Structure formats: C-alpha cells, structure tokens
Amino acid sequence: MKKLAFIGILGALLTAGSAQAADEKKAAEPVTQDAPAAAQKKNPVIEAAADFTKDFSDVEKRHFGVLYGNYNLVKVVETVQKDVGLAANKCGDTNPDMKAALDKRYEEWNAAIKPVMGEAEGNINNMIYAQDYAKPKEIKKFFKFIDKTRADRDKEVEKIPVTSKEACEHLLKTMDSTQASMIQLLQATLISLPQIIQEQDAAEQKRQEEEAADKAKEEAAPESAPESSEKSEKK
C-alpha cells in the first residue's frame, strides 16, 4: 500500500479533489464509436461508460455528461470532507491545546456545507428521474460501479496527515476561505441543464465560427501571392 502524507490544508485537498474529478469526468465521458480502440480501453470506467452510452443520441449523451459531472463533484466534496475530518482529528490528538478549536471549526465548516450538499444530491436525483433514455436503476448501478472503482483505487493509498503545529494552525485558518470554495463547487451542480447546454452551444458555435474564419484566411492567402508577383514583374 502506498502512503501519502498531506498537511491537512483544505486548499491542497480541494485542488487534488478537483483534479481527480476532472480525470474521472473525462474518463466517464461517452466515447464515440469512431474513437480509437486504445482510448476506449484505458480503464474500466471508459469501457463501462462507452457501453452504457452506446445507444444514446448526442443530446442524451450531453445530458448524461452533465449528470455524471454533477454526481462526481458531490463525491469529490464527500472525499474532501472525510480527509479534512481525518486531519482535524489527528491534529487534535497530536496538539491537545488545539483540539477544541479544531473540533468546533470543523463542525461549523461541515454544517455550512451539509445543506448545499443536500440540494446537490436532490438535483442529481431529479435529473435521474426526469430523463427517459435510461432506467433510473441502471444509472444508479453505473454510479455504484464508479464508486467502487474509486474506492478500490483509494485503498491503494494510505493518507497520513502531517500534524505539526504549523500544519494544524494552517488547517484551522484555511477553513474560513475554503468553506466558501466547497459551497461554490456544490452550487455549480445546481445550474439548470438548459443553461449549461445553451452555454455549451454558444461555445461550440464560437469555435466553429473561428475555424471558418481561419479557413477563409488560408484559402484567400494563395490567391494574393500571384498578384503580388505579377506586380513585381511589371516594375
């Protein structure tokens, strides 16, 4: 088992959690049929996602992508909650004079996040039952598979909080700033699906327009070259 030492700083944990979310979201994004076979077999998550979404339309794949992204963000917050709780407990055991302050602040931090977590989970549940491209129990089964994959991977690493006085003091201080960050991360899952799709469509349209403009410039460039050459010859 690998051992990972961390200093119990919420910012670092949140950054690591966000990176994990991005990796897992990318891995679980529906794979198109024309994607290279090697890309589809990188890990069990990609294989499971490709199989699960193989009969979905483009719109359905987009909906599922948003649904999975929201689900994964909630799971990242849950992981960070556990890691911070572990760090706070270990810091309190090593530094008894800080235990009361750490316990109190973590309880407040957790209490502030809990209601937003409930809203996020409720929104995910609504999205599961509002769609008609897959049975809710099948989506939940897929999510359980993802959870198991994540849990199996986490078992390979033992997290060991650094409990020096300095690290624990920093943990206490950063709870103020990162409480807002955690809530903001959860609130991102509450944005309505139509708004997300509209933003994606706008971004895609902008990308296509830029590509068309670049292509037009490239096509026009060769035509201007002979004209310049001809003028030089006349001179």
Side-chain angles (χ1 to χ4, degrees):
M1 177 183 289
K2 297 179 182 179
K3 293 186 178 181
L4 174 65
F6 66 97
I7 58 179
I9 300 177
L10 291 184
L13 290 172
L14 185 55
T15 299
S18 296
Q20 176 181 325
D23 289 342
E24 292 184 356
K25 182 180 179 182
K26 183 178 180 181
E29 285 176 349
V31 181
T32 58
Q33 292 182 352
D34 59 347
Q40 297 185 34
K41 296 182 178 180
K42 284 183 179 179
N43 59 47
V45 171
I46 287 183
E47 292 182 346
D51 182 64
F52 187 71
T53 61
K54 63 183 179 182
D55 297 324
F56 291 2
S57 67
D58 289 342
V59 173
E60 291 167 348
K61 287 179 179 179
R62 290 168 70 184
H63 182 280
F64 180 74
V66 173
L67 174 58
Y68 178 79
N70 288 352
Y71 180 83
N72 195 55
L73 281 175
V74 169
K75 289 301 176 181
V76 167
V77 172
E78 287 181 356
T79 298
V80 175
Q81 280 182 301
K82 292 177 182 177
D83 289 346
V84 173
L86 173 63
N89 286 333
K90 294 296 183 182
C91 277
D93 292 341
T94 305
N95 305 276
D97 58 316
M98 297 182 63
K99 183 171 178 56
L102 283 164
D103 288 348
K104 183 175 183 294
R105 187 64 189 91
Y106 178 67
E107 184 178 346
E108 294 171 347
W109 184 82
N110 217 29
I113 294 170
K114 188 175 180 179
V116 192
M117 175 78 82
E119 287 184 62
E121 291 174 336
N123 187 53
I124 290 169
N125 199 53
N126 289 338
M127 288 181 69
I128 290 175
Y129 284 96
Q131 53 76 41
D132 59 2
Y133 52 80
K135 294 180 179 179
K137 66 178 182 181
E138 292 301 321
I139 293 180
K140 292 181 179 181
K141 181 180 179 181
F142 176 80
F143 286 166
K144 285 182 179 179
F145 170 77
I146 301 300
D147 291 343
K148 184 179 184 304
T149 301
R150 184 188 296 113
D152 289 342
R153 184 178 58 197
D154 289 346
K155 288 178 182 177
E156 298 176 0
V157 179
E158 180 183 358
K159 297 178 181 179
I160 305 174
V162 175
T163 56
S164 65
K165 188 79 171 179
E166 294 77 13
C168 295
E169 286 176 347
H170 195 64
L171 167 66
L172 192 58
K173 290 178 181 178
T174 53
M175 282 193 196
D176 291 335
S177 60
T178 54
Q179 177 177 308
S181 297
M182 295 289 285
I183 292 174
Q184 185 177 15
L185 191 64
L186 288 170
Q187 287 176 333
T189 71
L190 302 176
I191 300 174
S192 67
L193 184 63
Q195 181 180 344
I196 293 174
I197 292 179
Q198 185 176 12
E199 291 173 354
Q200 291 176 343
D201 287 343
E204 177 61 19
Q205 182 177 354
K206 182 179 179 182
R207 184 189 67 79
Q208 291 178 359
E209 289 174 351
E210 290 175 348
E211 285 185 354
D214 291 340
K215 186 176 180 180
K217 288 180 181 178
E218 291 177 0
E219 292 176 348
E223 296 177 0
S224 60
E227 183 180 347
S228 299
S229 178
E230 184 178 341
K231 288 181 179 179
S232 299
E233 290 177 1
K234 288 181 178 180
K235 291 180 180 179

